[in-house]
């Protein structure tokens, strides 16, 4: 069982930066793939970035490439999403999710953290 708690959201001006954290419980968290997703009210949830268990494999949504960076610290059981050059269209609730190594779906989700970018 894995429990995830996001933090680090807030209000920032366009062009600013935020770092989101996803703190996990569970001894085997280091073996899980972790993803960040975002969702606005009335819209479908969309993928933002993911990172493999070792931290060497990462993948990003095209619109955030070069601006966002995902990383993980398996000693601290924490995954980060560094968000730079933020735009108003990045405003959403951001969720982290974890996927067991043998699973095809993200089975564990956090409660989300609000990111608001003002123009």
């Amino acid at each position: 069982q894995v429990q995830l708690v996001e933090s680090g959201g807030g209000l920032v001006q366009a062009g600013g930066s935020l770092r989101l954290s996803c703190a996990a419980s569970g001894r085997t968290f280091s073996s899980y793939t972790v993803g960040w997703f975002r969702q606005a009210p009335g819209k479908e949830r969309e993928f933002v970035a993911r990172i493999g268990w070792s931290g060497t494999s990462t993948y990003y949504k095209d619109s955030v490439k070069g601006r966002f960076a995902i990383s993980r610290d398996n000693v601290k059981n924490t995954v980060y999403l560094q968000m730079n050059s933020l735009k108003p269209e990045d405003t959403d609730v951001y969720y982290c999710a974890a996927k067991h190594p043998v699973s095809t779906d993200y089975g564990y989700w956090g409660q989300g953290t609000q990111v608001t970018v003002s123009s």
Side-chain angles (χ1 to χ4, degrees):
Q1 188 77 7
V2 173
Q3 293 184 323
L4 306 174
V5 178
E6 302 97 334
S7 61
L11 173 64
V12 64
Q13 288 188 331
S17 298
L18 285 173
R19 188 176 81 156
L20 305 183
S21 297
C22 174
S25 62
R27 293 176 297 172
T28 60
F29 177 72
S30 59
S31 65
Y32 285 62
T33 292
V34 177
W36 283 98
F37 296 78
R38 63 189 185 187
Q39 187 172 22
K43 294 187 178 181
E44 291 192 359
R45 185 169 53 203
E46 65 175 8
F47 166 82
V48 176
R50 71 166 182 260
I51 188 166
W53 68 272
S54 68
T56 58
S57 173
T58 59
Y59 187 79
Y60 297 91
K61 175 182 174 64
D62 284 346
S63 63
V64 307
K65 284 180 181 177
R67 300 190 296 124
F68 291 10
I70 189 170
S71 62
R72 70 189 298 163
D73 184 335
N74 284 338
V75 174
K76 296 182 177 180
N77 271 5
T78 302
V79 172
Y80 304 98
L81 185 67
Q82 178 67 43
M83 305 186 296
N84 300 324
S85 301
L86 283 162
K87 304 176 181 179
E89 52 263 43
D90 294 318
T91 295
D92 270 322
V93 178
Y94 284 70
Y95 300 88
C96 67
K99 181 167 62 173
H100 188 275
V102 300
S103 176
T104 58
D105 299 319
Y106 287 89
Y108 304 95
W109 292 83
Q111 83 290 347
T113 186
Q114 175 71 48
V115 172
T116 303
V117 185
S118 63
S119 57

